[in-house]
């Protein structure tokens, strides 16, 4: 019998894992699917002490099609074990999820693990429910799916999908991401006694797509994907640092823009916004984040690091998409949120190196180089530095570098600058990060503001082959790069002004995922 392949499935399924595992650009301490396509993190949670990570998965190949729910578990948030696929689209023509099991969450329904997800049928997504066995390894779909039959009547919605579900005063509440045509993104709020029968309470908050332009880094889009409502802080009553946050990913006509969040107050059936913030300066490279509170009371977030290469290149590589490392979400001093890799990640650190404190002085003439190659090298690194920037100075850290005759052949550069007024900017320059001209690489520059109290910056940079996560005083910038030379030099210098390097620590990072995985565990 000849199998009919999806038009994009250039790599036979039995070769996919070998192809993905042999790709030198595949991250080794970030979670990726065994091969094929991965997008949003779903159902992130801790259940009976064990961490669960579900994710949007296509084991047929590195393209988005008839999405399933992959599943992995961990006891330490670092090493993950593949588990059987949790949800696959229904076979029947009328099955509400016959075209995909899209994003959703895991909740504890009186001891029964329960998934709430978006079933896709044709071009429409509707809320569906599945219940799990006590070990969370097999799932049974609710026969009455979809549990909400249609988007709110008399509202012209741009889309209607993705879920945030919680229990409040003994009743379930649910947000479904959406948008009101002609107005902006929104999240519809529902209530239920049993997770099966839902009453619409109304939109929690409606954005305004007319504010700003679609190219703006904080444009809120025409639809809000993957809404996530939580209280950031210790969770203890009366915590003065507590604040509510409504996270969403701004979407417009099929374009995934960037993750944003409102801080403000969730009260009654509404969210009273105080300020809008960019969640990650990498834009679509940290998309569709989802968070949970773990048993220790920490809020932990994962995001999807989209590809910087085109679909053809990803399909040939046999894999696409990787998750961020788990991040702590912390209240920041200015009322926003800060983010940091979970400390558990440090178990992967090897071969500690330091660089002596020194004063870095920018070149006398702009364009000249004042960059030193450090005695640290690798394509899997954890770098931590502390520096003090004088007004008008810029610190530059190059990674994944290959230098010849004092010039970068390939290099990805992280910069922190402080202007004359003391304002800080974190940026990533990918213009020289790859010599590849055939994969349609996204080399756009990425940047955003960082607080620099007294000019001080604590910079943390995680380099994992094609995945880069930067944290500057708690503000993250995530990106993907596709160098061709395999270089791992690290360079440091001042581009202008004077920078005092106070400390620099570097570690090689071990692999967290063994090879030899199977596509359908
Ligand atoms: N991805 C899912 C949707 C969600 C989008 C489909 C965000 O549920 O809206 O794979 O990346």
């Amino acid at each position: 019998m000849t199998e009919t392949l999806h038009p994009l499935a250039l790599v036979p399924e039995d070769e996919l894992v070998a192809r993905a595992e042999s790709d030198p650009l595949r991250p080794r301490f970030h979670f990726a699917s065994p091969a094929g396509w991965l997008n949003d993190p779903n159902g992130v949670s801790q259940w009976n002490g064990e961490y669960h990570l579900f994710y949007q998965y296509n084991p047929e190949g590195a393209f988005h099609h008839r999405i399933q729910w992959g599943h992995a578990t961990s006891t330490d948030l670092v090493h993950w074990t593949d588990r059987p696929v949790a949800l696959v689209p229904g076979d029947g023509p009328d099955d509400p999820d016959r075209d995909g099991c899209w994003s959703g969450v895991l909740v504890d329904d009186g001891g029964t693990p329960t998934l709430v997800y978006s079933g896709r049928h044709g071009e429409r997504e509707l809320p569906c429910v599945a219940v799990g066995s006590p070990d969370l390894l097999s799932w049974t779909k609710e026969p009455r799916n979809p549990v909400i039959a249609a988007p709110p009547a008399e509202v012209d919605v741009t889309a209607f999908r993705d879920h945030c579900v919680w229990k409040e005063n003994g009743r379930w509440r649910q947000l479904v991401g959406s948008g009101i045509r002609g107005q902006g993104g929104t999240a519809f709020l529902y209530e239920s006694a049993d997770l099966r029968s839902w009453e619409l309470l109304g939109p929690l908050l409606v954005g305004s797509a007319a504010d700003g332009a679609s190219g703006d880094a904080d444009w809120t889009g025409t639809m809000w994907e993957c809404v996530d409502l939580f209280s950031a802080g210790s969770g203890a009553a009366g915590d003065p640092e507590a604040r509510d946050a409504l996270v969403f990913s701004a979407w417009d006509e099929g374009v995934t823009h960037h993750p944003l969040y409102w801080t403000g107050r969730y009260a009654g059936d509404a969210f009273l916004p105080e300020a809008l913030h960019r969640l990650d300066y990498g834009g679509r490279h940290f998309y569709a984040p989802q968070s949970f509170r773990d048993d220790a009371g920490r809020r932990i977030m994962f995001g999807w690091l989209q590809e910087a290469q085109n679909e053809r290149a990803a399909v040939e590589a046999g894999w696409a998409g990787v998750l961020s490392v788990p991040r702590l979400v912390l209240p920041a001093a200015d009322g926003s949120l800060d983010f940091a890799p979970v400390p558990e990640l440090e178990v992967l650190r090897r071969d500690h190196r330091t660089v002596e404190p020194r004063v870095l002085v920018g070149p006398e003439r702009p364009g000249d180089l004042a960059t030193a190659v450090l005695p640290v090298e690798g394509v899997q690194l954890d770098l931590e530095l502390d520096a003090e920037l004088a007004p008008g100075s810029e610190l530059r850290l190059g990674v994944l570098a290959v230098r010849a005759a004092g010039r970068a052949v390939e290099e990805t550069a992280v910069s922190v600058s402080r202007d004359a007024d003391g304002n800080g900017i974190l940026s990533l320059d990918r213009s020289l990060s790859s010599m590849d001209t055939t994969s349609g690489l996204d080399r756009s520059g990425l940047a955003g503001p960082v607080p620099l109290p007294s000019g001080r910056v604590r910079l943390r940079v995680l380099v994992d082959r094609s995945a880069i996560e930067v944290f500057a005083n708690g503000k993250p910038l995530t990106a993907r790069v596709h160098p061709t030379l395999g270089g791992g030099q690290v360079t440091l210098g001042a581009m202008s002004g004077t920078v005092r390097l106070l400390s620099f620590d570097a570690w090689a990072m071990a692999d967290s995922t063994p090879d030899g995985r199977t596509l359908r565990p």
Side-chain angles (χ1 to χ4, degrees):
M1 195 180 85
T2 350
E3 245 185 272
T4 319
L5 290 180
H6 184 278
L8 278 179
L10 304 179
V11 185
E13 272 199 42
D14 54 7
E15 259 181 59
L16 268 184
V17 174
R19 187 78 76 101
E21 290 182 349
S22 65
D23 182 354
L25 289 179
R26 193 155 185 264
R28 309 299 303 224
F29 67 89
H30 284 72
F31 182 84
S33 57
W37 168 274
L38 163 149
N39 59 298
D40 314 349
N42 291 157
V44 296
S45 50
Q46 193 174 15
W47 189 280
N48 288 338
E50 195 169 37
Y51 291 104
H52 288 261
L53 182 58
F54 300 83
Y55 55 91
Q56 296 277 285
Y57 181 36
N58 178 17
E60 272 186 36
F63 50 94
H64 189 269
H65 175 66
R66 278 197 100 223
I67 291 296
Q68 315 187 355
W69 274 44
H71 184 195
T73 58
S74 171
T75 53
D76 65 359
L77 285 170
V78 176
H79 301 92
W80 295 92
T81 304
D82 291 318
R83 300 296 183 193
V85 165
L87 294 175
V88 294
D91 293 334
D94 298 328
D95 284 346
D97 61 1
R98 65 152 210 210
D99 295 311
C101 300
W102 282 20
S103 283
V105 290
L106 170 71
V107 291
D108 179 352
D109 185 13
T112 303
T114 305
L115 303 178
V116 182
Y117 67 101
S118 292
R120 179 167 165 92
H121 187 288
E123 290 298 307
R124 180 178 248 214
E125 295 90 39
L126 290 171
C128 292
V129 162
V131 294
S133 53
D135 59 6
L136 283 73
L137 294 185
S138 54
W139 298 87
T140 307
K141 293 176 190 171
E142 163 66 44
R144 284 172 291 171
N145 281 337
V147 294
I148 295 176
E154 289 155 24
V155 185
D156 185 7
V157 298
T158 50
F160 182 74
R161 59 173 174 266
D162 309 335
H163 314 269
C164 175
V165 182
W166 68 99
K167 204 157 206 184
E168 188 176 317
N169 301 326
R171 294 188 53 91
W172 290 105
R173 286 199 151 199
Q174 162 165 216
L175 292 174
V176 183
S178 189
I180 301 176
R181 204 171 297 283
Q183 289 190 49
T186 191
F188 286 105
L189 177 63
Y190 290 81
E191 198 171 60
S192 168
D194 61 1
L195 292 169
R196 271 64 176 181
S197 154
W198 293 90
E199 179 199 352
L200 175 66
L201 301 179
L204 183 80
L205 173 69
V206 184
S208 171
D211 290 350
S214 71
D216 294 348
D218 62 354
W219 186 56
T220 57
T222 56
M223 190 251 162
W224 292 353
E225 294 196 296
C226 299
V227 287
D228 190 13
L229 173 68
F230 56 82
S231 165
S234 66
D239 174 3
E241 294 200 307
R243 66 208 53 175
D244 296 329
L246 179 63
V247 172
F248 62 96
S249 290
W251 179 96
D252 177 49
E253 301 293 343
V255 179
T256 53
H257 281 260
H258 39 238
L260 300 171
Y261 64 98
W262 295 97
T263 44
R265 200 157 53 84
Y266 163 59
D269 301 339
F271 188 90
L272 309 168
E274 278 161 18
L276 178 68
H277 311 265
R278 295 170 64 193
L279 195 148
D280 186 298
Y281 302 147
R284 68 181 183 88
H285 292 301
F286 185 87
Y287 198 75
Q290 192 181 91
S291 71
F292 69 106
R293 188 179 285 284
D294 81 349
D295 292 350
R298 306 178 301 172
R299 180 142 299 268
I300 296 173
M301 178 179 278
F302 288 86
W304 164 40
L305 277 53
Q306 298 192 28
E307 290 300 307
Q309 61 182 357
N310 62 21
E311 191 168 56
R312 183 200 48 76
V315 164
E316 273 175 22
W319 70 281
V322 58
L323 294 184
S324 68
V325 299
R327 293 179 179 180
L328 297 179
V329 183
L330 303 159
D334 65 356
S336 65
L337 300 175
D338 280 345
F339 301 89
V342 294
E344 284 91 330
L345 217 60
E346 293 166 22
V347 302
L348 297 175
R349 287 173 166 178
R350 306 281 184 274
D351 193 18
H352 183 204
R353 300 280 166 95
T354 57
V355 174
E356 287 300 301
R358 61 186 70 180
V359 177
L360 308 166
V361 182
E364 279 175 17
R365 289 173 310 180
D368 281 358
L369 286 170
T371 290
V373 176
L374 300 182
V376 168
E377 194 160 347
V379 293
Q380 291 175 218
L381 295 172
D382 186 351
L383 308 174
E384 237 177 26
L385 73 82
D386 193 356
E388 193 178 292
L389 281 74
S393 66
E394 180 176 345
L395 169 74
R396 186 178 176 285
L397 174 72
V399 296
L400 299 172
V402 173
R403 294 205 143 228
R407 297 263 156 199
V409 182
E410 281 188 340
E411 186 171 38
T412 299
V414 179
S415 298
V416 181
S417 61
R418 184 182 185 206
D419 70 14
D421 298 325
N423 302 309
I425 299 285
L426 166 68
S427 53
L428 189 82
D429 180 354
R430 295 185 288 178
S431 57
L432 286 181
S433 63
S434 177
M435 297 205 304
D436 181 346
T437 53
T438 63
S439 307
L441 293 183
D442 178 354
R443 299 168 193 267
S444 55
L446 302 164
V450 285
L452 291 179
S454 312
R456 282 287 282 275
V457 64
R458 281 198 70 84
L459 190 65
R460 175 101 179 259
V461 180
L462 300 175
V463 178
D464 193 1
R465 295 165 184 264
S466 63
I468 298 198
E469 296 191 61
V470 182
F471 301 83
N473 287 346
K475 302 302 173 202
L477 189 163
T478 304
R480 301 290 308 282
V481 290
H482 289 82
T484 59
L485 300 174
Q489 288 180 328
V490 177
T491 66
L492 187 69
M495 297 308 281
S496 59
T498 305
V499 177
R500 284 167 59 84
L501 179 70
L502 304 171
S503 66
F504 190 111
D505 293 88
W507 294 265
M509 290 293 273
D511 295 1
S512 66
T513 323
D515 277 350
R517 296 167 74 188
T518 48
L519 210 49
R520 300 173 207 274

